[in-house]
Amino acid sequence: MKVQVCIIGGGPSGLLVAQLLHLRGIDTIVLEKHSREYVLARVRAGVLERGFAQLMREAQCGQRMDREGEIHDGFEIAHDGVLERVDLHKYSGGNSVIVYGQTELTRDLYEARDALKGAVIHDAEDVALFDLASDAPYVTYRHGGKTVRVDCEYVIGADGFHGVSRKSIPSDKLREYEKIFPFGWLGVLSRTKPVSPELIYVKHRRGFALCSMRSQVLSRYYIQVPLTDTPDRWSDDAFWAELKSRLPDEAANRLITGPSIEKSVAPLRSFVAEPMRYGRLFLAGDAAHIVPPTGAKGLNTAASDVYYLYHALLSHYKKRDDSGLDGYSEKA
Ligand code: FAD
Ligand code: DHB
């Protein structure tokens, strides 16, 4: 099989760049290790900044996000038993964020991909990258017991932190910087009304907590836990009791609890790999850099990579100008 751009990873970064390139007539394939159901069941981001939302619209995938996402102009910080509001709109020169789940936006991207008949191979096993430093790279994967070879002009590694793309760069060509924090976030999703109309970030001597949401009937809460804790060690009752103990009374008294519909522990890590290019391979999103979820920045930095890479590839294909590709790593 031959395509112009082979994209490894069917998460937000891979799907978004695939969709943008496809709309401009550039031929792509997305190779995703897991099933669609698996990818859509992974609860992660909930807060989108303007950059990400803007790219979703440019990719013609923003209709449901704009209809169902909630605009938030501020958030609260709880400390020493009090709540203080930060006016995001006022202090950022008119900016706001959109509360819309990563599961939802990934579903929108898959649906858009399906509508254009864009190729997405799920359950692509043993993806391997070859001849990246040559003019004729190729990628192989196994599917249904058969090995398939994809010849391409460029490879985009959008396969997250644990993916194969970054690991395909020779170690003497890559610099990596990493800090692993000695705790994680235990997250719970519940079909309950959020404790507050806006997010609450909590500083408490028992540990950090975050009251977030996906909608006004779906709450997402996090508490900081030791890295050694697993979700099965936390009953729902224990989770709610611990969350309440970290909230100021006025919020704790309002908290509506209910059965968890998802519970998981996310480790907290800061990581940067550079350069983000090796020959004809370009890394994007969590494959190249991770920030702890505290700042809700992961998708936005991924969107910035996608933006630069998309425009760089457009200049290459439409104007024979490679300056964008050459400057990608430094810019991103
Ligand atoms: P991923 O989402 O990791 O996607 C990579 C894809 O590649 C996956 O589907 C994976 O299955 C696939 N893959 C992996 N290996 C292979 C392989 N060998 N072959 C083929 N495919 C492969 N960010 C925000 O902006 N706002 C938030 O509110 C926010 N909240 C967060 C909360 C939590 C608890 C966590 C953990 C993260 C949060 N983030 C947030 C960060 C955000 O979720 C990530 O930055 C985002 O998922 C990055 O997207 P990506 O497509 O680059 O990588
Ligand atoms: C979520 C929201 C945040 O503001 C954040 O910093 C991390 C995660 C969330 O809703 O998942």
Side-chain angles (χ1 to χ4, degrees):
M1 181 190 325
K2 246 190 153 104
V3 291
Q4 286 171 301
V5 182
C6 179
I7 298 164
I8 323 282
S13 305
L15 293 169
L16 196 49
V17 74
Q19 177 69 4
L20 289 163
L21 292 172
H22 191 127
L23 287 170
R24 300 300 298 269
I26 297 165
D27 189 21
T28 63
I29 186 172
V30 175
L31 305 179
E32 166 56 50
K33 183 180 183 172
H34 293 290
S35 68
R36 187 176 293 202
E37 295 69 39
Y38 179 96
V39 175
L40 291 177
R42 257 184 338 220
V43 179
R44 290 165 94 185
V47 176
L48 312 179
E49 284 181 43
R50 193 161 61 179
F52 193 91
Q54 211 39 52
L55 266 193
M56 284 289 284
R57 294 181 192 115
E58 195 169 338
Q60 298 178 11
C61 298
Q63 297 93 328
R64 197 160 70 94
M65 174 190 76
D66 282 329
R67 213 170 44 240
E68 296 177 12
E70 268 184 35
I71 308 265
H72 284 208
D73 288 332
F75 57 87
E76 294 195 277
I77 293 183
H79 65 95
D80 305 309
V82 296
L83 283 168
E84 285 188 82
R85 184 169 189 269
V86 176
D87 189 331
L88 197 54
H89 194 261
K90 178 171 162 191
Y91 294 116
S92 69
N95 239 317
S96 53
V97 293
I98 301 183
V99 171
Y100 190 65
Q102 182 165 336
T103 47
E104 300 310 305
L105 68 89
T106 307
R107 188 187 307 281
D108 297 342
L109 287 163
Y110 276 132
E111 281 175 8
R113 216 42 209 154
D114 290 347
L116 294 182
K117 302 206 183 335
V120 180
I121 310 294
H122 280 283
D123 303 304
E125 294 171 49
D126 298 335
V127 170
L129 291 66
F130 297 94
D131 294 350
L132 297 167
S134 79
D135 286 347
Y138 66 98
V139 176
T140 62
Y141 65 96
R142 264 191 329 112
H143 195 249
K146 284 195 194 127
T147 298
V148 182
R149 173 174 165 147
V150 182
D151 289 285
C152 54
E153 290 159 9
Y154 292 98
V155 182
I156 295 180
D159 47 355
F161 178 74
H162 297 287
V164 63
S165 302
R166 189 182 68 251
K167 292 173 193 148
S168 306
I169 301 178
S171 56
D172 63 332
K173 302 277 186 237
L174 204 64
R175 289 182 300 280
E176 295 188 349
Y177 308 86
E178 185 170 41
K179 178 176 169 72
I180 298 174
F181 295 86
F183 43 78
W185 280 12
L186 172 66
V188 157
L189 191 68
S190 77
R191 247 181 259 293
T192 50
K193 186 174 160 57
V195 65
S196 172
E198 294 183 334
L199 272 67
I200 307 177
Y201 290 82
V202 186
K203 175 178 190 261
H204 195 274
R205 62 188 158 74
R206 295 182 64 85
F208 173 83
L210 170 60
C211 305
S212 182
M213 67 195 73
R214 295 293 175 269
S215 70
Q216 287 304 319
V217 290
L218 193 58
S219 297
R220 179 68 167 167
Y221 294 108
Y222 297 97
I223 54 172
Q224 176 187 330
V225 295
L227 251 190
T228 43
D229 278 15
T230 50
D232 51 298
R233 281 187 55 185
W234 282 87
S235 68
D236 287 359
D237 286 347
F239 177 85
W240 293 120
E242 184 58 38
L243 176 63
K244 266 189 175 178
S245 76
R246 298 184 190 186
L247 294 178
D249 288 345
E250 62 168 298
N253 294 337
R254 279 202 312 262
L255 182 70
I256 298 172
T257 63
S260 63
I261 50 178
E262 196 268 353
K263 201 187 274 163
S264 50
V265 175
L268 267 70
R269 165 186 276 126
S270 294
F271 175 84
V272 177
E274 64 173 8
M276 289 169 63
R277 173 191 192 167
Y278 172 66
R280 295 211 164 211
L281 167 68
F282 293 85
L283 300 178
D286 278 16
H289 41 69
I290 297 254
V291 286
T294 332
K297 295 300 285 187
L299 278 176
N300 228 54
T301 49
S304 137
D305 296 348
V306 167
Y307 178 87
Y308 291 132
L309 195 48
Y310 159 57
H311 285 281
L313 285 166
L314 274 189
S315 297
H316 168 80
Y317 282 113
K318 308 289 179 196
K319 299 187 202 148
R320 294 169 185 265
D321 170 4
D322 279 353
S323 58
L325 289 175
D326 293 339
Y328 170 71
S329 179
E330 203 172 329
K331 239 180 180 169

